[in-house]
Amino acid sequence: MNFETTITAEAQDDLRGDIAARHGLNRSSSLPKILLIAGGGLFALLLAIAAYFALSAGDPVAAGDDNTQAPVITVITPGKTTVSGVIEAPGTLAARRPMPVGVVGEGGRVVSVRVDAGDWVGQGQVLAVIDRSVQARQAEAQAAQIEVAKADAQLAQANLDRSLQLVERGFVSQADVDRLTATRDSAVARVSVAEAQLAELRARTARLSIVAPASGYVLERNVEPGQTVGGGSPPLFSIARGGEMELLAQLGETQLAGLSQGVSASVVPTGSDKSFTGQVWQLSPTIDAQSRQGTARIALPYAPELRPGGFATARIESGSYEATVLPESAVLADSEGSFVYVINGENEAVRTAVTTGAVTPQGIAITGGLVGTEMIVLSAGGFLNPGEKVNPRRQED
């Protein structure tokens, strides 16, 4: 019994081994077929997807015409605006007609100063007095010389009168009469000379008083009592005639070309909120070769806030005109000048040179280079290149 059982087990083991071998062979031969079928199906699926998208997309689009990746840029069409012609310019305040006052005569030691800076003075008013003690003694001596000359003239006249009485009797010759007449004339002439010399001394003495040549406002006082001054000394006083002031506004040559004498202007000194009204009374006839600027002189009435040497800003009216006004962000500048980017019909950024005018509260006035109907890049011009494709979007949208 045990023998049969052993034989049966071996037979079964052999049978299972053969079956397993044949089954493994069948699996190894069917695997490549499965892979080929799966690859073919995947390829067919990809072809179907590609055909679907090709048919649904319609006509193919050239790469150069695809604008979907272009940056979105805000543009404006500014049109034309009436711009009030106002020019803003910095400048320095000064006296319109400054009058330096110095020593006229030989000078000397200053004994008194009668005015100070900030005082109003009248024409002929004494500003300072120089010591005149020596000149006073000289004038007294010359006055005595006049009396001596007058006495000599009187004596000569008396001698002549007596000779004229005796000439009729024959006691005095005509020659003696002529000599006495000449003596009398010389004595009278010496009186006139002495009087003229006294007048000169008095005039020199009067020049030792420093007086105001005209009425005005004292700007500077550069002398003190005890100081020695002379004809070569710097001016002792500076006076603004009539107290009139002015602003020396610095303008470009193009701005000067648009101005004329008589236009009104408002001036605001630095550090003050008060505005003073004046008029342009003179335009510089020359232009500085380095700065390319000239000076517009704006006459102003006296005011305590207008201090010569101070800084101020002028707003000068230069008339109204039609111009395109752009925000400051739309106007760019480089070494070649001011420019903007204009979007053409093909949505390309085109660099366009412009001429700028006055700066208004609404923006910068463009006086040349634009007609106002263009699509102009509002604020992203600094990131664009000429010819670059964009997607323009109007500001109102």
Side-chain angles (χ1 to χ4, degrees), residues 298-311:
I298 303 172
L300 297 166
Y302 168 78
E305 294 83 1
L306 300 177
R307 297 180 174 87
F311 190 77

Side-chain angles (χ1 to χ4, degrees), residues 120-192:
W120 286 90
V121 296
Q123 184 175 4
Q125 180 177 341
V126 177
L127 308 178
V129 177
I130 299 175
D131 179 57
R132 62 190 66 194
S133 58
V134 175
Q135 288 80 0
R137 303 290 83 79
Q138 290 175 347
E140 291 176 0
Q142 189 60 38
Q145 289 295 330
I146 294 176
E147 297 301 325
V148 172
K150 287 181 177 180
D152 292 341
Q154 292 174 358
L155 178 59
Q157 182 65 48
N159 291 334
L160 178 60
D161 293 340
R162 285 192 296 268
S163 298
L164 290 175
Q165 293 175 359
L166 296 174
V167 73
E168 297 177 354
R169 300 176 184 180
F171 294 106
V172 177
S173 65
Q174 186 62 39
D176 293 334
V177 172
D178 293 341
R179 179 176 55 80
L180 293 173
T181 302
T183 303
R184 190 275 314 270
D185 293 341
S186 298
V188 172
R190 283 194 294 271
V191 172
S192 299

Side-chain angles (χ1 to χ4, degrees), residues 11 21 63 74 137 165 186 189 200 222 241 283 287 301-302 307 312-315 329 339 342 348 381 389:
T74 303
R137 303 290 83 79
Q165 293 175 359
S186 298
E200 179 185 358
N222 302 315
R241 189 177 69 180
L283 297 174
I287 299 295
Y302 168 78
R307 297 180 174 87
T313 302
R315 290 176 57 87
S329 60
F339 66 94
V342 175
E348 295 176 344
K389 286 277 189 177

Side-chain angles (χ1 to χ4, degrees), residues 74-78 325-327 330 374-378 394-395:
T74 303
V75 297
I76 58 173
T77 303
V325 179
L326 294 177
E374 300 91 345
M375 289 194 302
I376 300 171
V377 176
L378 179 60
R394 295 188 180 274
Q395 185 181 30

Side-chain angles (χ1 to χ4, degrees), residues 101 114-116 119-129 209-216 218 237 239:
V101 182
R114 301 183 180 180
V115 297
D116 207 342
D119 293 342
W120 286 90
V121 296
Q123 184 175 4
Q125 180 177 341
V126 177
L127 308 178
V129 177
S209 295
I210 310 301
V211 299
S215 300
V218 179
F237 301 92
I239 300 175

Side-chain angles (χ1 to χ4, degrees), residues 26 32 44 47 49 54 77 98 122-123 155 230 236 298 322 339 347 369-370:
N26 291 335
L47 287 177
I49 293 173
T77 303
Q123 184 175 4
L155 178 59
L236 307 184
I298 303 172
E322 294 288 329
F339 66 94
N347 291 340
L370 298 175

Side-chain angles (χ1 to χ4, degrees), residues 6-163:
T6 303
I7 293 175
T8 303
E10 291 177 356
Q12 290 177 350
D13 291 338
D14 293 339
L15 180 60
R16 291 173 180 172
D18 294 340
I19 294 173
R22 287 195 297 273
H23 182 68
L25 181 62
N26 291 335
R27 291 182 60 185
S28 61
S29 62
S30 63
L31 181 60
K33 295 180 180 180
I34 294 173
L35 292 176
L36 289 174
I37 293 172
L42 179 61
F43 182 71
L45 178 62
L46 292 176
L47 287 177
I49 293 173
Y52 171 77
F53 281 105
L55 293 176
S56 62
D59 296 334
V61 178
D65 296 335
D66 186 6
N67 204 34
T68 58
Q69 300 300 320
V72 177
I73 299 298
T74 303
V75 297
I76 58 173
T77 303
K80 291 285 187 179
T81 305
T82 299
V83 178
S84 177
V86 176
I87 300 175
E88 288 194 4
T92 304
L93 293 168
R96 182 178 177 183
R97 295 298 185 191
M99 297 184 299
V101 182
V103 178
V104 180
E106 59 272 13
R109 181 175 58 87
V110 178
V111 295
S112 66
V113 180
R114 301 183 180 180
V115 297
D116 207 342
D119 293 342
W120 286 90
V121 296
Q123 184 175 4
Q125 180 177 341
V126 177
L127 308 178
V129 177
I130 299 175
D131 179 57
R132 62 190 66 194
S133 58
V134 175
Q135 288 80 0
R137 303 290 83 79
Q138 290 175 347
E140 291 176 0
Q142 189 60 38
Q145 289 295 330
I146 294 176
E147 297 301 325
V148 172
K150 287 181 177 180
D152 292 341
Q154 292 174 358
L155 178 59
Q157 182 65 48
N159 291 334
L160 178 60
D161 293 340
R162 285 192 296 268
S163 298

